[in-house]
Amino acid sequence: MLKLHNLSKVYRTEEVETVALNGVDIEIQRGDFVAMMGPSGCGKSTLLNIIGMLDNPTGGDYFFFDENIANYSESKLSELRKKNIGFIFQSFNLIDELNVQENIELALLYHKIPSGERKRRVAEVMDRMGIAHRAKHMPGQLSGGQQQRVAVARAVVGDQPLILADEPTGNLDSAHGQEVMELLQSLNAEGTTIVMVTHSPSHADYAKRTINLLDGHLVTDNIRAA
């Protein structure tokens, strides 16, 4: 699905040069569930942003479905991103003024999908995530776990093949965190590729692979025994 070769990312100001990623090589296949770990500042979020086409590498290659997109323009990256990638964030990023159904449907408005088809997809994904009974509730009326379920539903309603999750359990208690991890695991079992940043070893155990970063370098890439 995607391959990063000798990838680097350098942030420069007039006085300081910060190397966020240095010579990273990663290949992720369809159906993978990868947990990325490492201390704060090691490059996890930078790498996730580049994989998610929200940032460009300074050097190296990024092949997405065999196409080198490392130097694509923002408009070309935006089109690829919309078709292929769903995002789940630590802070949920729901819109307070929209109810559950509207928050999820928002993800489809960018795809020029007819209204009837949007409603069908949203109803289907709400049922799948166990939140159909909360369709008309506002985000402020939901628990943290329920809000993250809405965020997961929004990420998958467009049927994108890749989900990127940035600390998806970071704002949740242990029970709701486990609930979200089981949800991601079931999505992966259905064929969705997932790349997740986490600080939790127990949540990383839900993944098939664990990648560790340190000072911008990939230091370990372990595949979990079946």
Side-chain angles (χ1 to χ4, degrees), residues 12-124:
R12 294 184 177 92
T13 66
E14 288 184 6
E15 300 175 356
V16 180
E17 180 176 285
T18 303
V19 179
L21 296 171
N22 190 357
V24 172
D25 292 300
I26 298 174
E27 191 163 348
I28 294 173
Q29 307 289 345
R30 266 188 180 272
D32 264 353
F33 186 169
V34 180
M36 292 199 299
M37 302 189 73
S40 295
C42 71
K44 302 185 302 294
S45 293
T46 299
L47 183 54
L48 199 73
N49 284 341
I50 289 175
I51 291 173
M53 306 175 196
L54 299 171
D55 200 356
N56 289 99
T58 305
D61 300 307
Y62 177 6
F63 295 92
F64 192 77
F65 289 119
D66 297 323
E67 202 172 337
N68 193 349
I69 65 169
N71 296 308
Y72 270 22
S73 66
E74 172 50 36
S75 60
K76 288 183 78 172
L77 290 175
S78 178
E79 280 303 309
L80 265 180
R81 193 166 56 236
K82 283 191 293 187
K83 291 176 184 174
N84 294 287
I85 304 175
F87 294 88
I88 303 168
F89 303 96
Q90 176 178 341
S91 55
F92 317 137
N93 284 14
L94 301 180
I95 296 174
D96 291 337
E97 294 76 23
L98 301 181
N99 64 31
V100 166
Q101 181 176 322
E102 291 164 340
N103 262 287
I104 299 169
E105 187 175 358
L106 192 63
L108 297 176
L109 294 178
Y110 306 107
H111 294 273
K112 299 176 182 175
I113 295 171
S115 175
E117 174 66 6
R118 290 201 309 269
K119 303 292 186 199
R120 184 194 66 76
R121 284 202 198 183
V122 171
E124 189 177 88

